[in-house]
Amino acid sequence: MAIDNERNRVLASLRDQSAGANSAVLGERLGLVREVVERHLLYCADYGLATWRRVRNGSGDAVITERGRDYLLRQGR
């Protein structure tokens, strides 16, 4: 369940940043290491919850999708 909670925190943080954010910024903001944030972003991108233009060093911006917003609403976030 902790993984889902972290994923929801990453998505909620993306929702709160309309211009998007990269994994380093999200990690700093959420107190998570970049690799953990990237794992959640990859999952979210695979399931259409977010778009993420990953750059070699992980610094590409991610943005929540409408599907991701709906997912958060269903999760009560």
Side-chain angles (χ1 to χ4, degrees):
M1 197 66 157
I3 290 175
D4 289 341
N5 187 39
E6 283 180 353
R7 184 181 311 124
N8 290 346
R9 287 177 55 214
V10 168
L11 273 175
S13 186
L14 283 176
R15 179 193 59 206
D16 296 342
Q17 298 181 26
S18 61
N22 65 42
S23 59
V25 170
L26 290 170
E28 229 176 80
R29 192 168 186 193
L30 299 171
L32 300 170
V33 294
R34 192 185 85 219
E35 291 79 12
V36 170
V37 173
E38 288 178 2
R39 184 178 70 229
H40 292 308
L41 288 176
L42 186 59
Y43 176 92
C44 291
D46 284 349
Y47 286 92
L49 304 175
T51 59
W52 183 35
R53 293 192 177 160
R54 185 177 186 187
V55 182
R56 184 175 283 206
N57 64 0
S59 65
D61 283 342
V63 178
I64 192 169
T65 63
E66 283 303 314
R67 185 174 182 176
R69 291 177 192 281
D70 291 341
Y71 172 83
L72 284 177
L73 284 174
R74 288 192 308 272
Q75 297 294 311
R77 290 266 192 168

